[in-house]
Amino acid sequence: NAGVMQNPRHLVRRRGQEARLRCSPMKGHSHVYWYRQLPEEGLKFMVYLQKENIIDESGMPKERFSAEFPKEGPSILRIQQVVRGDSAAYFCASSPSASGSEETQYFGPGTRLLVL
Amino acid sequence: LAKTTQPISMDSYEGQEVNITCSHNNIATNDYITWYQQFPSQGPRFIIQGYKTKVKNEVASLFIPADRKSSTLSLPRVSLSDTAVYYCLVGSIYNQGGKLIFGQGTELSVKP
């Protein structure tokens, strides 16, 4: 049973380019969460999605960042016009149902974004 | 939202028992206590979760006193491979929706 898959594992972009990060949740999971981990810091929640719906995007920067989880295919975190401060590890997690803390979220290996 | 406080770092030696205590004075009635482990360059991994008293699984034990204002993760006989950052999380879907709120974590270093 494959776990949460993220690709690419490493992504290098120049300032001003777009970054697209993909996340395939575990089989049977319809809830996806994105977190960002800046160097030497803990993980920060960005956005929570169900199929075709954004449930909570309170942690998402207001500009340049967007996320989707279409009916078919992986969840996508999109960062437009990247800046150096976007360099971080981006982790995706999934759960079979709505999860606060009482249900485990399963994390992927992360995508490490480096902006030159 | 309940805030957690845990030591920034701890050192241990192989074979020892390690106890990491987390303070969460403002824990709410609906909140659960969950611990995650994160190795370098990997995503966090669930270790254990509890609501009150003691919980035990094949990896760790979790001790929660009656007032639930703190909790202690106990790792028996640690090995070098237990070197990681350990996060204590407190919350529930009722109080925070779907998000997990991570603090700084405790960086555990196990030495030979």
PDB file of all heavy atoms in Angstrom, chain A residues 33 35 37 42-43 45 48 56 58 91 98-102 104-105 107-108 112, chain B residues 32 34 36 38 41-44 46 49 87 91-93 96-100 102:
ATOM      1  N   TYR A  33      -3.560  17.890   3.056  1.00  0.00           N
ATOM      2  CA  TYR A  33      -3.072  19.052   3.795  1.00  0.00           C
ATOM      3  C   TYR A  33      -1.667  19.388   3.276  1.00  0.00           C
ATOM      4  O   TYR A  33      -0.871  18.499   3.017  1.00  0.00           O
ATOM      5  CB  TYR A  33      -2.978  18.742   5.296  1.00  0.00           C
ATOM      6  CG  TYR A  33      -4.180  18.017   5.840  1.00  0.00           C
ATOM      7  CD1 TYR A  33      -4.305  16.644   5.701  1.00  0.00           C
ATOM      8  CD2 TYR A  33      -5.192  18.704   6.507  1.00  0.00           C
ATOM      9  CE1 TYR A  33      -5.411  15.967   6.193  1.00  0.00           C
ATOM     10  CE2 TYR A  33      -6.303  18.033   7.011  1.00  0.00           C
ATOM     11  CZ  TYR A  33      -6.401  16.668   6.843  1.00  0.00           C
ATOM     12  OH  TYR A  33      -7.500  16.001   7.325  1.00  0.00           O
ATOM     13  N   TYR A  35       1.853  21.608   4.196  1.00  0.00           N
ATOM     14  CA  TYR A  35       2.613  22.301   5.237  1.00  0.00           C
ATOM     15  C   TYR A  35       3.924  22.781   4.640  1.00  0.00           C
ATOM     16  O   TYR A  35       4.451  22.184   3.703  1.00  0.00           O
ATOM     17  CB  TYR A  35       2.926  21.353   6.407  1.00  0.00           C
ATOM     18  CG  TYR A  35       1.708  20.855   7.153  1.00  0.00           C
ATOM     19  CD1 TYR A  35       0.966  19.779   6.681  1.00  0.00           C
ATOM     20  CD2 TYR A  35       1.303  21.468   8.340  1.00  0.00           C
ATOM     21  CE1 TYR A  35      -0.144  19.323   7.371  1.00  0.00           C
ATOM     22  CE2 TYR A  35       0.194  21.015   9.044  1.00  0.00           C
ATOM     23  CZ  TYR A  35      -0.520  19.939   8.543  1.00  0.00           C
ATOM     24  OH  TYR A  35      -1.626  19.489   9.224  1.00  0.00           O
ATOM     25  N   GLN A  37       7.933  23.967   5.692  1.00  0.00           N
ATOM     26  CA  GLN A  37       8.955  23.973   6.735  1.00  0.00           C
ATOM     27  C   GLN A  37      10.142  24.785   6.243  1.00  0.00           C
ATOM     28  O   GLN A  37      10.882  24.352   5.357  1.00  0.00           O
ATOM     29  CB  GLN A  37       9.390  22.555   7.094  1.00  0.00           C
ATOM     30  CG  GLN A  37      10.344  22.495   8.274  1.00  0.00           C
ATOM     31  CD  GLN A  37      10.554  21.068   8.770  1.00  0.00           C
ATOM     32  OE1 GLN A  37      10.563  20.117   7.993  1.00  0.00           O
ATOM     33  NE2 GLN A  37      10.714  20.901  10.076  1.00  0.00           N
ATOM     34  N   GLY A  42       9.894  24.713  12.535  1.00  0.00           N
ATOM     35  CA  GLY A  42       8.878  23.661  12.532  1.00  0.00           C
ATOM     36  C   GLY A  42       7.965  23.794  11.333  1.00  0.00           C
ATOM     37  O   GLY A  42       8.050  24.745  10.557  1.00  0.00           O
ATOM     38  N   LEU A  43       7.083  22.841  11.193  1.00  0.00           N
ATOM     39  CA  LEU A  43       6.151  22.855  10.065  1.00  0.00           C
ATOM     40  C   LEU A  43       5.006  23.830  10.327  1.00  0.00           C
ATOM     41  O   LEU A  43       4.485  23.900  11.440  1.00  0.00           O
ATOM     42  CB  LEU A  43       5.562  21.464   9.841  1.00  0.00           C
ATOM     43  CG  LEU A  43       6.497  20.425   9.257  1.00  0.00           C
ATOM     44  CD1 LEU A  43       7.271  19.734  10.354  1.00  0.00           C
ATOM     45  CD2 LEU A  43       5.708  19.407   8.447  1.00  0.00           C
ATOM     46  N   PHE A  45       1.200  24.975   8.918  1.00  0.00           N
ATOM     47  CA  PHE A  45       0.048  24.627   8.093  1.00  0.00           C
ATOM     48  C   PHE A  45      -0.174  25.678   7.014  1.00  0.00           C
ATOM     49  O   PHE A  45      -0.048  26.878   7.257  1.00  0.00           O
ATOM     50  CB  PHE A  45      -1.195  24.519   8.975  1.00  0.00           C
ATOM     51  CG  PHE A  45      -2.488  24.453   8.222  1.00  0.00           C
ATOM     52  CD1 PHE A  45      -2.930  23.254   7.684  1.00  0.00           C
ATOM     53  CD2 PHE A  45      -3.266  25.582   8.042  1.00  0.00           C
ATOM     54  CE1 PHE A  45      -4.130  23.187   6.990  1.00  0.00           C
ATOM     55  CE2 PHE A  45      -4.468  25.533   7.355  1.00  0.00           C
ATOM     56  CZ  PHE A  45      -4.898  24.324   6.831  1.00  0.00           C
ATOM     57  N   TYR A  48      -5.857  23.131   3.631  1.00  0.00           N
ATOM     58  CA  TYR A  48      -6.531  21.842   3.792  1.00  0.00           C
ATOM     59  C   TYR A  48      -7.565  21.726   2.679  1.00  0.00           C
ATOM     60  O   TYR A  48      -8.402  22.615   2.520  1.00  0.00           O
ATOM     61  CB  TYR A  48      -7.147  21.786   5.180  1.00  0.00           C
ATOM     62  CG  TYR A  48      -8.204  20.737   5.445  1.00  0.00           C
ATOM     63  CD1 TYR A  48      -8.225  19.510   4.775  1.00  0.00           C
ATOM     64  CD2 TYR A  48      -9.181  20.956   6.415  1.00  0.00           C
ATOM     65  CE1 TYR A  48      -9.195  18.562   5.050  1.00  0.00           C
ATOM     66  CE2 TYR A  48     -10.146  20.008   6.701  1.00  0.00           C
ATOM     67  CZ  TYR A  48     -10.158  18.820   6.024  1.00  0.00           C
ATOM     68  OH  TYR A  48     -11.122  17.878   6.298  1.00  0.00           O
ATOM     69  N   ASP A  56      -9.812  24.939   4.254  1.00  0.00           N
ATOM     70  CA  ASP A  56      -9.162  25.935   5.121  1.00  0.00           C
ATOM     71  C   ASP A  56      -7.873  26.360   4.450  1.00  0.00           C
ATOM     72  O   ASP A  56      -6.996  25.528   4.249  1.00  0.00           O
ATOM     73  CB  ASP A  56      -8.894  25.315   6.503  1.00  0.00           C
ATOM     74  CG  ASP A  56      -8.245  26.280   7.490  1.00  0.00           C
ATOM     75  OD1 ASP A  56      -7.871  27.403   7.093  1.00  0.00           O
ATOM     76  OD2 ASP A  56      -8.109  25.894   8.668  1.00  0.00           O
ATOM     77  N   SER A  58      -6.227  29.178   5.639  1.00  0.00           N
ATOM     78  CA  SER A  58      -5.807  30.256   6.526  1.00  0.00           C
ATOM     79  C   SER A  58      -4.295  30.410   6.637  1.00  0.00           C
ATOM     80  O   SER A  58      -3.806  31.462   7.014  1.00  0.00           O
ATOM     81  CB  SER A  58      -6.407  30.048   7.924  1.00  0.00           C
ATOM     82  OG  SER A  58      -5.985  28.806   8.473  1.00  0.00           O
ATOM     83  N   PHE A  91       5.576  19.892   2.584  1.00  0.00           N
ATOM     84  CA  PHE A  91       5.091  18.552   2.882  1.00  0.00           C
ATOM     85  C   PHE A  91       3.582  18.474   2.656  1.00  0.00           C
ATOM     86  O   PHE A  91       2.839  19.383   3.003  1.00  0.00           O
ATOM     87  CB  PHE A  91       5.395  18.168   4.331  1.00  0.00           C
ATOM     88  CG  PHE A  91       6.860  17.992   4.616  1.00  0.00           C
ATOM     89  CD1 PHE A  91       7.589  19.027   5.164  1.00  0.00           C
ATOM     90  CD2 PHE A  91       7.486  16.787   4.331  1.00  0.00           C
ATOM     91  CE1 PHE A  91       8.949  18.867   5.426  1.00  0.00           C
ATOM     92  CE2 PHE A  91       8.840  16.630   4.596  1.00  0.00           C
ATOM     93  CZ  PHE A  91       9.577  17.671   5.141  1.00  0.00           C
ATOM     94  N   ALA A  98     -11.933  13.760   7.875  1.00  0.00           N
ATOM     95  CA  ALA A  98     -11.528  15.039   8.465  1.00  0.00           C
ATOM     96  C   ALA A  98     -10.685  14.792   9.709  1.00  0.00           C
ATOM     97  O   ALA A  98     -11.041  14.008  10.572  1.00  0.00           O
ATOM     98  CB  ALA A  98     -12.766  15.855   8.814  1.00  0.00           C
ATOM     99  N   SER A  99      -9.578  15.440   9.778  1.00  0.00           N
ATOM    100  CA  SER A  99      -8.615  15.176  10.850  1.00  0.00           C
ATOM    101  C   SER A  99      -8.238  16.441  11.569  1.00  0.00           C
ATOM    102  O   SER A  99      -7.767  17.382  10.957  1.00  0.00           O
ATOM    103  CB  SER A  99      -7.362  14.541  10.256  1.00  0.00           C
ATOM    104  OG  SER A  99      -6.293  14.569  11.180  1.00  0.00           O
ATOM    105  N   GLY A 100      -8.461  16.463  12.873  1.00  0.00           N
ATOM    106  CA  GLY A 100      -7.882  17.530  13.661  1.00  0.00           C
ATOM    107  C   GLY A 100      -6.598  16.961  14.188  1.00  0.00           C
ATOM    108  O   GLY A 100      -5.621  16.818  13.489  1.00  0.00           O
ATOM    109  N   SER A 101      -6.580  16.586  15.422  1.00  0.00           N
ATOM    110  CA  SER A 101      -5.429  15.839  15.911  1.00  0.00           C
ATOM    111  C   SER A 101      -5.813  14.410  16.225  1.00  0.00           C
ATOM    112  O   SER A 101      -4.959  13.571  16.418  1.00  0.00           O
ATOM    113  CB  SER A 101      -4.858  16.491  17.178  1.00  0.00           C
ATOM    114  OG  SER A 101      -4.043  17.582  16.854  1.00  0.00           O
ATOM    115  N   GLU A 102      -7.104  14.135  16.282  1.00  0.00           N
ATOM    116  CA  GLU A 102      -7.504  12.807  16.742  1.00  0.00           C
ATOM    117  C   GLU A 102      -7.406  11.747  15.663  1.00  0.00           C
ATOM    118  O   GLU A 102      -7.546  10.584  15.930  1.00  0.00           O
ATOM    119  CB  GLU A 102      -8.913  12.830  17.343  1.00  0.00           C
ATOM    120  CG  GLU A 102      -9.992  13.325  16.397  1.00  0.00           C
ATOM    121  CD  GLU A 102     -10.198  14.827  16.496  1.00  0.00           C
ATOM    122  OE1 GLU A 102      -9.200  15.555  16.536  1.00  0.00           O
ATOM    123  OE2 GLU A 102     -11.365  15.262  16.516  1.00  0.00           O
ATOM    124  N   THR A 104      -4.837  10.392  12.581  1.00  0.00           N
ATOM    125  CA  THR A 104      -3.479  10.530  12.080  1.00  0.00           C
ATOM    126  C   THR A 104      -3.452  11.120  10.682  1.00  0.00           C
ATOM    127  O   THR A 104      -4.243  10.743   9.826  1.00  0.00           O
ATOM    128  CB  THR A 104      -2.803   9.155  12.036  1.00  0.00           C
ATOM    129  OG1 THR A 104      -2.819   8.598  13.343  1.00  0.00           O
ATOM    130  CG2 THR A 104      -1.363   9.274  11.556  1.00  0.00           C
ATOM    131  N   GLN A 105      -2.546  12.054  10.464  1.00  0.00           N
ATOM    132  CA  GLN A 105      -2.253  12.513   9.123  1.00  0.00           C
ATOM    133  C   GLN A 105      -0.965  11.832   8.689  1.00  0.00           C
ATOM    134  O   GLN A 105       0.012  11.779   9.424  1.00  0.00           O
ATOM    135  CB  GLN A 105      -2.096  14.038   9.091  1.00  0.00           C
ATOM    136  CG  GLN A 105      -3.411  14.770   9.343  1.00  0.00           C
ATOM    137  CD  GLN A 105      -3.299  16.276   9.184  1.00  0.00           C
ATOM    138  OE1 GLN A 105      -2.331  16.792   8.634  1.00  0.00           O
ATOM    139  NE2 GLN A 105      -4.327  16.990   9.648  1.00  0.00           N
ATOM    140  N   PHE A 107       2.186  11.722   6.268  1.00  0.00           N
ATOM    141  CA  PHE A 107       2.972  12.695   5.527  1.00  0.00           C
ATOM    142  C   PHE A 107       3.774  12.053   4.400  1.00  0.00           C
ATOM    143  O   PHE A 107       4.246  10.909   4.509  1.00  0.00           O
ATOM    144  CB  PHE A 107       3.945  13.430   6.460  1.00  0.00           C
ATOM    145  CG  PHE A 107       3.288  14.478   7.309  1.00  0.00           C
ATOM    146  CD1 PHE A 107       2.592  14.128   8.452  1.00  0.00           C
ATOM    147  CD2 PHE A 107       3.354  15.815   6.950  1.00  0.00           C
ATOM    148  CE1 PHE A 107       1.971  15.092   9.234  1.00  0.00           C
ATOM    149  CE2 PHE A 107       2.746  16.786   7.724  1.00  0.00           C
ATOM    150  CZ  PHE A 107       2.060  16.426   8.865  1.00  0.00           C
ATOM    151  N   GLY A 108       3.935  12.832   3.351  1.00  0.00           N
ATOM    152  CA  GLY A 108       4.808  12.439   2.269  1.00  0.00           C
ATOM    153  C   GLY A 108       6.246  12.826   2.566  1.00  0.00           C
ATOM    154  O   GLY A 108       6.531  13.437   3.596  1.00  0.00           O
ATOM    155  N   ARG A 112      11.583  19.660  -1.773  1.00  0.00           N
ATOM    156  CA  ARG A 112      12.495  20.731  -1.352  1.00  0.00           C
ATOM    157  C   ARG A 112      12.671  21.707  -2.492  1.00  0.00           C
ATOM    158  O   ARG A 112      13.227  21.355  -3.525  1.00  0.00           O
ATOM    159  CB  ARG A 112      13.823  20.136  -0.895  1.00  0.00           C
ATOM    160  CG  ARG A 112      13.728  19.676   0.556  1.00  0.00           C
ATOM    161  CD  ARG A 112      14.517  18.404   0.848  1.00  0.00           C
ATOM    162  NE  ARG A 112      14.145  17.912   2.178  1.00  0.00           N
ATOM    163  CZ  ARG A 112      13.105  17.119   2.418  1.00  0.00           C
ATOM    164  NH1 ARG A 112      12.366  16.679   1.421  1.00  0.00           N
ATOM    165  NH2 ARG A 112      12.807  16.750   3.636  1.00  0.00           N
TER     166      ARG A 112
ATOM    167  N   TYR B  32      -6.813  16.347  21.817  1.00  0.00           N
ATOM    168  CA  TYR B  32      -5.996  15.153  21.943  1.00  0.00           C
ATOM    169  C   TYR B  32      -4.524  15.569  21.971  1.00  0.00           C
ATOM    170  O   TYR B  32      -4.165  16.663  21.545  1.00  0.00           O
ATOM    171  CB  TYR B  32      -6.232  14.210  20.769  1.00  0.00           C
ATOM    172  CG  TYR B  32      -7.510  13.435  20.860  1.00  0.00           C
ATOM    173  CD1 TYR B  32      -8.736  14.049  20.632  1.00  0.00           C
ATOM    174  CD2 TYR B  32      -7.498  12.082  21.183  1.00  0.00           C
ATOM    175  CE1 TYR B  32      -9.909  13.344  20.727  1.00  0.00           C
ATOM    176  CE2 TYR B  32      -8.681  11.366  21.267  1.00  0.00           C
ATOM    177  CZ  TYR B  32      -9.880  12.007  21.043  1.00  0.00           C
ATOM    178  OH  TYR B  32     -11.039  11.299  21.145  1.00  0.00           O
ATOM    179  N   THR B  34      -0.840  14.407  20.630  1.00  0.00           N
ATOM    180  CA  THR B  34      -0.252  13.556  19.605  1.00  0.00           C
ATOM    181  C   THR B  34       1.230  13.866  19.470  1.00  0.00           C
ATOM    182  O   THR B  34       1.630  15.026  19.537  1.00  0.00           O
ATOM    183  CB  THR B  34      -0.942  13.798  18.245  1.00  0.00           C
ATOM    184  OG1 THR B  34      -2.357  13.739  18.392  1.00  0.00           O
ATOM    185  CG2 THR B  34      -0.505  12.757  17.224  1.00  0.00           C
ATOM    186  N   TYR B  36       4.650  13.316  17.001  1.00  0.00           N
ATOM    187  CA  TYR B  36       5.193  12.948  15.708  1.00  0.00           C
ATOM    188  C   TYR B  36       6.719  12.955  15.789  1.00  0.00           C
ATOM    189  O   TYR B  36       7.312  13.684  16.580  1.00  0.00           O
ATOM    190  CB  TYR B  36       4.747  13.946  14.624  1.00  0.00           C
ATOM    191  CG  TYR B  36       3.363  13.732  14.079  1.00  0.00           C
ATOM    192  CD1 TYR B  36       2.236  14.179  14.761  1.00  0.00           C
ATOM    193  CD2 TYR B  36       3.171  13.095  12.862  1.00  0.00           C
ATOM    194  CE1 TYR B  36       0.965  13.985  14.255  1.00  0.00           C
ATOM    195  CE2 TYR B  36       1.891  12.910  12.334  1.00  0.00           C
ATOM    196  CZ  TYR B  36       0.807  13.355  13.038  1.00  0.00           C
ATOM    197  OH  TYR B  36      -0.462  13.163  12.534  1.00  0.00           O
ATOM    198  N   GLN B  38      10.245  13.248  13.330  1.00  0.00           N
ATOM    199  CA  GLN B  38      10.715  13.644  12.009  1.00  0.00           C
ATOM    200  C   GLN B  38      12.219  13.446  11.904  1.00  0.00           C
ATOM    201  O   GLN B  38      12.989  14.045  12.661  1.00  0.00           O
ATOM    202  CB  GLN B  38      10.370  15.109  11.706  1.00  0.00           C
ATOM    203  CG  GLN B  38      10.727  15.512  10.283  1.00  0.00           C
ATOM    204  CD  GLN B  38      10.394  16.942   9.944  1.00  0.00           C
ATOM    205  OE1 GLN B  38      10.302  17.793  10.805  1.00  0.00           O
ATOM    206  NE2 GLN B  38      10.185  17.222   8.655  1.00  0.00           N
ATOM    207  N   SER B  41      15.291  15.376   6.399  1.00  0.00           N
ATOM    208  CA  SER B  41      14.901  15.207   4.994  1.00  0.00           C
ATOM    209  C   SER B  41      13.717  14.255   4.804  1.00  0.00           C
ATOM    210  O   SER B  41      13.546  13.685   3.721  1.00  0.00           O
ATOM    211  CB  SER B  41      16.083  14.700   4.151  1.00  0.00           C
ATOM    212  OG  SER B  41      17.169  15.588   4.246  1.00  0.00           O
ATOM    213  N   GLN B  42      12.913  14.075   5.836  1.00  0.00           N
ATOM    214  CA  GLN B  42      11.714  13.249   5.710  1.00  0.00           C
ATOM    215  C   GLN B  42      10.508  13.976   6.290  1.00  0.00           C
ATOM    216  O   GLN B  42      10.654  14.944   7.044  1.00  0.00           O
ATOM    217  CB  GLN B  42      11.894  11.909   6.434  1.00  0.00           C
ATOM    218  CG  GLN B  42      12.950  11.004   5.818  1.00  0.00           C
ATOM    219  CD  GLN B  42      12.962   9.640   6.473  1.00  0.00           C
ATOM    220  OE1 GLN B  42      11.953   9.169   6.984  1.00  0.00           O
ATOM    221  NE2 GLN B  42      14.119   9.000   6.452  1.00  0.00           N
ATOM    222  N   GLY B  43       9.335  13.492   5.950  1.00  0.00           N
ATOM    223  CA  GLY B  43       8.118  14.040   6.537  1.00  0.00           C
ATOM    224  C   GLY B  43       7.893  13.481   7.927  1.00  0.00           C
ATOM    225  O   GLY B  43       8.429  12.429   8.288  1.00  0.00           O
ATOM    226  N   PRO B  44       7.107  14.172   8.748  1.00  0.00           N
ATOM    227  CA  PRO B  44       6.810  13.673  10.098  1.00  0.00           C
ATOM    228  C   PRO B  44       6.096  12.335  10.053  1.00  0.00           C
ATOM    229  O   PRO B  44       5.374  12.034   9.109  1.00  0.00           O
ATOM    230  CB  PRO B  44       5.898  14.766  10.676  1.00  0.00           C
ATOM    231  CG  PRO B  44       6.179  15.976   9.859  1.00  0.00           C
ATOM    232  CD  PRO B  44       6.500  15.475   8.496  1.00  0.00           C
ATOM    233  N   PHE B  46       3.721   9.742  12.535  1.00  0.00           N
ATOM    234  CA  PHE B  46       2.943   9.576  13.759  1.00  0.00           C
ATOM    235  C   PHE B  46       3.593   8.547  14.674  1.00  0.00           C
ATOM    236  O   PHE B  46       4.014   7.473  14.233  1.00  0.00           O
ATOM    237  CB  PHE B  46       1.532   9.118  13.387  1.00  0.00           C
ATOM    238  CG  PHE B  46       0.676   8.725  14.550  1.00  0.00           C
ATOM    239  CD1 PHE B  46      -0.085   9.668  15.217  1.00  0.00           C
ATOM    240  CD2 PHE B  46       0.610   7.398  14.969  1.00  0.00           C
ATOM    241  CE1 PHE B  46      -0.897   9.297  16.279  1.00  0.00           C
ATOM    242  CE2 PHE B  46      -0.188   7.029  16.027  1.00  0.00           C
ATOM    243  CZ  PHE B  46      -0.947   7.972  16.684  1.00  0.00           C
ATOM    244  N   GLN B  49      -0.701   8.667  20.248  1.00  0.00           N
ATOM    245  CA  GLN B  49      -1.724   9.663  20.569  1.00  0.00           C
ATOM    246  C   GLN B  49      -2.494   9.229  21.795  1.00  0.00           C
ATOM    247  O   GLN B  49      -2.712   8.027  22.003  1.00  0.00           O
ATOM    248  CB  GLN B  49      -2.690   9.820  19.396  1.00  0.00           C
ATOM    249  CG  GLN B  49      -3.780  10.859  19.601  1.00  0.00           C
ATOM    250  CD  GLN B  49      -4.703  10.955  18.405  1.00  0.00           C
ATOM    251  OE1 GLN B  49      -5.600  10.143  18.220  1.00  0.00           O
ATOM    252  NE2 GLN B  49      -4.468  11.948  17.579  1.00  0.00           N
ATOM    253  N   TYR B  87       7.888  16.065  17.926  1.00  0.00           N
ATOM    254  CA  TYR B  87       6.920  17.144  18.064  1.00  0.00           C
ATOM    255  C   TYR B  87       5.736  16.697  18.913  1.00  0.00           C
ATOM    256  O   TYR B  87       5.167  15.619  18.694  1.00  0.00           O
ATOM    257  CB  TYR B  87       6.383  17.573  16.701  1.00  0.00           C
ATOM    258  CG  TYR B  87       7.389  18.223  15.790  1.00  0.00           C
ATOM    259  CD1 TYR B  87       8.039  17.484  14.812  1.00  0.00           C
ATOM    260  CD2 TYR B  87       7.684  19.574  15.904  1.00  0.00           C
ATOM    261  CE1 TYR B  87       8.954  18.081  13.954  1.00  0.00           C
ATOM    262  CE2 TYR B  87       8.601  20.181  15.046  1.00  0.00           C
ATOM    263  CZ  TYR B  87       9.235  19.420  14.086  1.00  0.00           C
ATOM    264  OH  TYR B  87      10.145  20.012  13.249  1.00  0.00           O
ATOM    265  N   GLY B  91      -4.594  19.347  20.066  1.00  0.00           N
ATOM    266  CA  GLY B  91      -5.679  19.957  19.319  1.00  0.00           C
ATOM    267  C   GLY B  91      -6.780  18.977  19.009  1.00  0.00           C
ATOM    268  O   GLY B  91      -6.733  17.804  19.378  1.00  0.00           O
ATOM    269  N   SER B  92      -7.786  19.458  18.317  1.00  0.00           N
ATOM    270  CA  SER B  92      -8.893  18.624  17.878  1.00  0.00           C
ATOM    271  C   SER B  92      -9.560  19.289  16.697  1.00  0.00           C
ATOM    272  O   SER B  92      -9.371  20.485  16.451  1.00  0.00           O
ATOM    273  CB  SER B  92      -9.918  18.426  18.994  1.00  0.00           C
ATOM    274  OG  SER B  92     -10.664  19.610  19.177  1.00  0.00           O
ATOM    275  N   ILE B  93     -10.336  18.512  15.992  1.00  0.00           N
ATOM    276  CA  ILE B  93     -11.033  19.050  14.836  1.00  0.00           C
ATOM    277  C   ILE B  93     -12.012  20.130  15.251  1.00  0.00           C
ATOM    278  O   ILE B  93     -12.301  21.063  14.510  1.00  0.00           O
ATOM    279  CB  ILE B  93     -11.729  17.923  14.047  1.00  0.00           C
ATOM    280  CG1 ILE B  93     -12.218  18.434  12.698  1.00  0.00           C
ATOM    281  CG2 ILE B  93     -12.870  17.333  14.862  1.00  0.00           C
ATOM    282  CD1 ILE B  93     -12.700  17.351  11.781  1.00  0.00           C
ATOM    283  N   GLN B  96      -9.589  23.379  15.895  1.00  0.00           N
ATOM    284  CA  GLN B  96      -8.669  23.891  14.890  1.00  0.00           C
ATOM    285  C   GLN B  96      -8.966  23.372  13.494  1.00  0.00           C
ATOM    286  O   GLN B  96      -8.147  23.532  12.597  1.00  0.00           O
ATOM    287  CB  GLN B  96      -7.240  23.527  15.276  1.00  0.00           C
ATOM    288  CG  GLN B  96      -6.973  22.032  15.280  1.00  0.00           C
ATOM    289  CD  GLN B  96      -5.754  21.662  16.093  1.00  0.00           C
ATOM    290  OE1 GLN B  96      -5.642  22.028  17.241  1.00  0.00           O
ATOM    291  NE2 GLN B  96      -4.837  20.937  15.483  1.00  0.00           N
ATOM    292  N   GLY B  97     -10.071  22.716  13.304  1.00  0.00           N
ATOM    293  CA  GLY B  97     -10.366  22.187  11.983  1.00  0.00           C
ATOM    294  C   GLY B  97      -9.391  21.097  11.617  1.00  0.00           C
ATOM    295  O   GLY B  97      -9.046  20.264  12.435  1.00  0.00           O
ATOM    296  N   GLY B  98      -8.917  21.091  10.398  1.00  0.00           N
ATOM    297  CA  GLY B  98      -8.068  20.012   9.937  1.00  0.00           C
ATOM    298  C   GLY B  98      -6.583  20.232  10.122  1.00  0.00           C
ATOM    299  O   GLY B  98      -5.782  19.359   9.833  1.00  0.00           O
ATOM    300  N   LYS B  99      -6.199  21.387  10.613  1.00  0.00           N
ATOM    301  CA  LYS B  99      -4.767  21.671  10.642  1.00  0.00           C
ATOM    302  C   LYS B  99      -4.092  21.083  11.872  1.00  0.00           C
ATOM    303  O   LYS B  99      -4.661  21.031  12.950  1.00  0.00           O
ATOM    304  CB  LYS B  99      -4.535  23.182  10.592  1.00  0.00           C
ATOM    305  CG  LYS B  99      -5.092  23.958  11.789  1.00  0.00           C
ATOM    306  CD  LYS B  99      -4.643  25.395  11.776  1.00  0.00           C
ATOM    307  CE  LYS B  99      -5.353  26.203  10.737  1.00  0.00           C
ATOM    308  NZ  LYS B  99      -6.590  26.849  11.215  1.00  0.00           N
ATOM    309  N   LEU B 100      -2.859  20.641  11.694  1.00  0.00           N
ATOM    310  CA  LEU B 100      -1.990  20.280  12.808  1.00  0.00           C
ATOM    311  C   LEU B 100      -1.098  21.480  13.085  1.00  0.00           C
ATOM    312  O   LEU B 100      -0.596  22.120  12.167  1.00  0.00           O
ATOM    313  CB  LEU B 100      -1.123  19.074  12.457  1.00  0.00           C
ATOM    314  CG  LEU B 100      -1.850  17.754  12.185  1.00  0.00           C
ATOM    315  CD1 LEU B 100      -0.838  16.668  11.850  1.00  0.00           C
ATOM    316  CD2 LEU B 100      -2.705  17.355  13.355  1.00  0.00           C
ATOM    317  N   PHE B 102       2.275  22.577  14.681  1.00  0.00           N
ATOM    318  CA  PHE B 102       3.567  22.106  15.159  1.00  0.00           C
ATOM    319  C   PHE B 102       4.305  23.234  15.880  1.00  0.00           C
ATOM    320  O   PHE B 102       4.317  24.366  15.425  1.00  0.00           O
ATOM    321  CB  PHE B 102       4.436  21.640  13.988  1.00  0.00           C
ATOM    322  CG  PHE B 102       3.995  20.361  13.358  1.00  0.00           C
ATOM    323  CD1 PHE B 102       2.989  20.356  12.392  1.00  0.00           C
ATOM    324  CD2 PHE B 102       4.590  19.158  13.706  1.00  0.00           C
ATOM    325  CE1 PHE B 102       2.586  19.176  11.808  1.00  0.00           C
ATOM    326  CE2 PHE B 102       4.193  17.971  13.112  1.00  0.00           C
ATOM    327  CZ  PHE B 102       3.191  17.972  12.162  1.00  0.00           C
TER     328      PHE B 102
END
